[in-house]
Amino acid sequence: MVRFIPLAELKLEAAADLWNEELGSDFPMRLRLLRQCWQEDGNMLAAGSWAAIDESTNRLAGFAAAKKWMDPMEGISFPADEGWI
């Protein structure tokens, strides 16, 4: 069984550890980059960003960070109904 928590409640270290466990040999993740991509990005969509916790081990099983263009920049626009993870 898994339980879902808002991504904002997840410790960045746990996310970086899981990322590096799974993808670190090809694309290592530093805490600074994760902080920049999640906590400092004005396009982060909290309502669509979740972490999955394995209830049998209480460990992070996965996560998804959803983004939608919300950062007003002159000359840049995206369709209001599109986003990315």
Side-chain angles (χ1 to χ4, degrees):
M1 254 346 214
V2 295
R3 105 182 115 79
F4 295 97
I5 63 170
L7 194 63
E9 294 178 15
L10 180 65
K11 293 187 185 302
L12 287 178
E13 294 83 2
D17 287 349
L18 180 61
W19 180 288
N20 286 322
E21 211 175 281
E22 299 297 324
L23 301 168
S25 62
D26 294 320
F27 188 60
M29 179 60 68
R30 297 183 321 264
L31 283 176
R32 176 69 189 119
L33 180 57
L34 200 54
R35 187 174 297 109
Q36 179 183 346
C37 290
W38 286 3
Q39 295 175 339
E40 299 171 5
D41 189 339
N43 299 306
M44 190 72 164
L45 185 62
S49 299
W50 295 89
I53 307 298
D54 181 332
E55 290 188 325
S56 65
T57 62
N58 206 34
R59 292 193 62 211
L60 178 63
F63 55 84
K67 297 190 178 187
K68 178 181 175 186
W69 188 259
M70 297 178 282
D71 189 11
M73 287 182 100
E74 190 173 324
I76 299 177
S77 65
F78 286 85
D81 61 345
E82 291 184 14
W84 63 98
I85 57 171

